[in-house]
Amino acid sequence: MVDIAPSMLGADFGRMREAAEMVGPHSAYLHMDVMDGHFVPNLTMGPDLVKSLDGIAPLDVHLMVTDPIDFIEDFRDAGAEIITVHVEANNPLKALESIKKNNMKAGIALNPSTPENSIEPFIDLADLILVMSVEPGYCGQEFHEDAVERVRHYKETYPNKIIEVDGGVGPSNSERLADAGADILVAGSAIFKADDPIEIVKIMKGS
Ligand code: DX5
Ligand code: ZN
């Protein structure tokens, strides 16, 4: 069985707490996408919004920002259990060290176009590898099929790391990803655009 992390970026921001309270009890984490308008073109949520959902389910914070080191303590204070930084960002090593020093789980993420071996220098500090299956920035993009083989490769190479997949994930690919070795599946549109989001979480969990 795989863990599900609904991406709150896919929810209606005016009713985000309601959405989190609906799916939270059925989910391992709430996935919070933080974008700075620089690392990616979009601007999304800051620590105050993340903190407003603390206590509903453990918070999985995905930093798509150029200088993650500047925000680690803010998101720790917001209640993050996992903080993930991108290998393409500035100084991932220092950011991962800070996450560990602050007693959180540390993740290293990479974009679909970034070479698989780019995470090697950071792997010792990482508890989790976040395989992006879309270019980061927006919900609702099409799943990159190559991600399935990337998950399989990382699970074989690093069997003790948590493997998370993010972007275009839903019931149509969740079983394949779980079989390939994914531990956590992130889904925004597939869950929040559905008539029955809880049902989608349950279907994906059964993968
Ligand atoms: C993309 C984000 C994802 C996104 C997922 O940059 O990191 O978490 O919100 O949304 P879907 O599942 O719609 O691709
Ligand atoms: Zn994300």
Side-chain angles (χ1 to χ4, degrees):
M1 196 153 116
V2 68
D3 283 336
I4 307 302
S7 169
M8 300 314 297
L9 187 61
D12 176 345
F13 269 41
R15 302 169 72 188
M16 191 175 282
R17 190 175 175 87
E18 205 180 305
E21 283 173 341
M22 171 173 57
V23 295
H26 306 276
S27 305
Y29 299 97
L30 296 176
H31 183 85
M32 308 299 287
D33 285 308
V34 177
M35 305 186 189
D36 66 352
H38 186 257
F39 183 77
V40 289
N42 200 2
L43 266 176
T44 57
M45 48 185 88
D48 289 342
L49 181 56
V50 171
K51 189 172 185 176
S52 76
L53 303 185
D54 188 22
I56 298 174
L59 299 174
D60 168 31
V61 175
H62 177 191
L63 294 184
M64 284 158 278
V65 304
T66 300
D67 287 300
I69 187 77
D70 296 346
F71 300 103
I72 304 303
E73 288 174 9
D74 291 339
F75 286 103
R76 174 203 62 197
D77 294 345
E81 177 148 329
I82 304 172
I83 296 184
T84 294
V85 300
H86 270 257
V87 71
E88 303 88 356
N90 289 337
N91 223 332
L93 198 69
K94 279 230 154 56
L96 291 168
E97 278 169 0
S98 170
I99 296 165
K100 295 309 295 174
K101 200 179 80 196
N102 283 289
N103 298 315
M104 294 172 284
K105 282 194 186 125
I108 186 79
L110 81 168
N111 294 341
S113 53
T114 301
E116 216 151 64
N117 63 4
S118 63
I119 63 169
E120 269 168 28
F122 311 106
I123 199 72
D124 287 347
L125 280 166
D127 303 292
L128 177 151
I129 302 167
L130 174 55
V131 175
M132 289 302 300
S133 36
V134 299
E135 292 297 332
Y138 300 93
C139 275
Q141 302 181 74
E142 200 179 328
F143 180 73
H144 286 225
E145 284 295 331
D146 296 356
V148 179
E149 284 317 306
R150 203 164 251 206
V151 166
R152 198 183 314 280
H153 167 77
Y154 283 143
K155 199 62 193 183
E156 278 168 16
T157 313
Y158 308 114
N160 299 326
K161 305 291 177 188
I162 302 163
I163 311 292
E164 181 174 25
V165 192
D166 183 11
V169 177
S172 65
N173 48 31
S174 54
E175 197 167 343
R176 281 186 293 135
L177 288 166
D179 288 348
D183 300 295
I184 305 175
L185 301 179
V186 176
S189 311
I191 291 174
F192 291 111
K193 297 267 181 289
D195 292 337
D196 186 350
I198 295 172
E199 186 58 24
I200 300 295
V201 171
K202 287 184 180 164
I203 292 169
M204 290 176 65
K205 247 200 297 202
S207 295

